[in-house]
Amino acid sequence: DTGVSQDPRHKITKRGQNVTFRCDPISEHNRLYWYRQTLGQGPEFLTYFQNEAQLEKSRLLSDRFSAERPKGSFSTLEIQRTEQGDSAMYLCASSLVAGIDGYTFGSGTRLTVV
Amino acid sequence: GENVEQHPSTLSVQEGDSAVIKCTYSDSASNYFPWYKQELGKRPQLIIDIRSNVGEKKDQRIAVTLNKTAKHFSLHITETQPEDSAVYFCAASNMNRDDKIIFGKGTRLHILP
């Protein structure tokens, strides 16, 4: 599969626990994006990387959220001390630089905080 | 920053009829406008896009129009079919700034038999 892969597909965690998600982009794509999508809403931008550099973080991203892309390939998104409001679908997308022809999204990780 | 408004939030049309979804954007520097389709439980998928140097683009039953002056763009689906039922998102970006894509809140399209 040469698309964008995300792992896990589903995660149920107790409030206060830490969780980490992984995204493997399309190999030739320099850009990697994280979005969050709640029910009935469009994807909300969280952060993005060009190669290993994190270029922008949304104000939506509290200090409990951290993302890395250490070698410019896969990325991880960690949420510390999860809250019920963190429950959402976390989508990863990748693109060539400048977002030509839009993004290719992964299938997402659905997080449920109980 | 960019803000994208989309309406209607829900749209029901008879099979075979046309559907129109409208969006507005706030940043006049935005120059790339993709549309995504998301079926239940699946990832958003790019279905068509338009750049600011053209006013209209068509791909089979789908067309997009762009009015830069009014900062409006629209998706038109003709001869709708049951498989067109999904959530559609418009989005905007500034490719000159190498910028992220900002999405609207989506339109749930129901195709009625």
Side-chain angles (χ1 to χ4, degrees):
Chain A
D1 185 358
T2 57
V4 178
S5 300
Q6 290 189 248
D7 183 70
R9 292 293 303 275
H10 304 273
K11 179 71 177 179
I12 300 174
T13 191
K14 291 184 178 180
R15 191 172 49 189
Q17 297 294 305
N18 299 344
V19 294
T20 300
F21 312 140
R22 177 177 169 128
C23 171
D24 287 88
I26 293 173
S27 58
E28 61 266 29
H29 283 182
N30 297 355
R31 285 285 184 94
L32 186 148
Y33 306 83
W34 286 98
Y35 282 78
R36 178 172 64 192
Q37 187 177 26
T38 53
L39 200 61
Q41 299 295 314
E44 294 177 301
F45 170 76
L46 295 179
T47 188
Y48 80 91
F49 294 83
Q50 181 166 316
N51 300 315
E52 67 275 9
Q54 187 173 20
L55 296 187
E56 186 175 347
K57 290 174 62 173
S58 165
R59 284 172 287 181
L60 293 175
L61 217 60
S62 77
D63 291 343
R64 296 184 298 105
F65 288 70
S66 62
E68 293 183 343
R69 193 182 184 198
K71 296 181 181 179
S73 56
F74 73 92
S75 176
T76 57
L77 177 68
E78 181 183 16
I79 309 174
Q80 297 182 326
R81 306 182 301 282
T82 51
E83 302 173 357
Q84 286 189 320
D86 297 331
S87 295
M89 175 73 82
Y90 289 84
L91 291 165
C92 176
S94 70
S95 74
L96 291 170
V97 175
I100 296 172
D101 296 327
Y103 297 167
T104 300
F105 278 94
S107 296
T109 294
R110 181 167 296 283
L111 174 66
T112 303
V113 181
V114 298
Chain B
E2 176 63 275
N3 182 50
V4 178
E5 300 285 340
Q6 181 171 352
H7 59 95
S9 56
T10 305
L11 178 61
S12 296
V13 300
Q14 292 292 140
E15 183 177 347
D17 288 350
S18 295
V20 180
I21 300 169
K22 297 183 178 182
C23 291
T24 61
Y25 61 99
S26 61
D27 186 350
S28 56
S30 288
N31 55 16
Y32 174 65
F33 306 93
W35 286 84
Y36 286 81
K37 175 183 180 181
Q38 187 174 31
E39 298 177 11
L40 192 62
K42 296 190 176 180
R43 72 189 77 187
Q45 293 198 302
L46 179 70
I47 55 171
I48 195 167
D49 56 18
I50 189 168
R51 289 169 173 76
S52 60
N53 58 345
V54 298
E56 186 173 355
K57 183 176 179 180
K58 190 173 182 181
D59 182 4
Q60 300 183 342
R61 296 186 297 108
I62 295 175
V64 291
T65 58
L66 171 65
N67 182 330
K68 285 190 295 182
T69 303
K71 291 188 281 188
H72 290 175
F73 58 116
S74 300
L75 177 72
H76 304 252
I77 306 174
T78 58
E79 302 171 6
T80 52
Q81 299 170 2
E83 55 265 34
D84 295 330
S85 293
V87 179
Y88 291 81
F89 295 99
C90 62
S93 176
N94 183 334
M95 290 171 57
N96 294 339
R97 282 200 305 255
D98 225 1
D99 215 350
K100 60 192 177 294
I101 291 175
I102 300 299
F103 289 82
K105 293 187 183 302
T107 296
R108 182 170 297 279
L109 176 62
H110 299 276
I111 306 301
L112 305 173

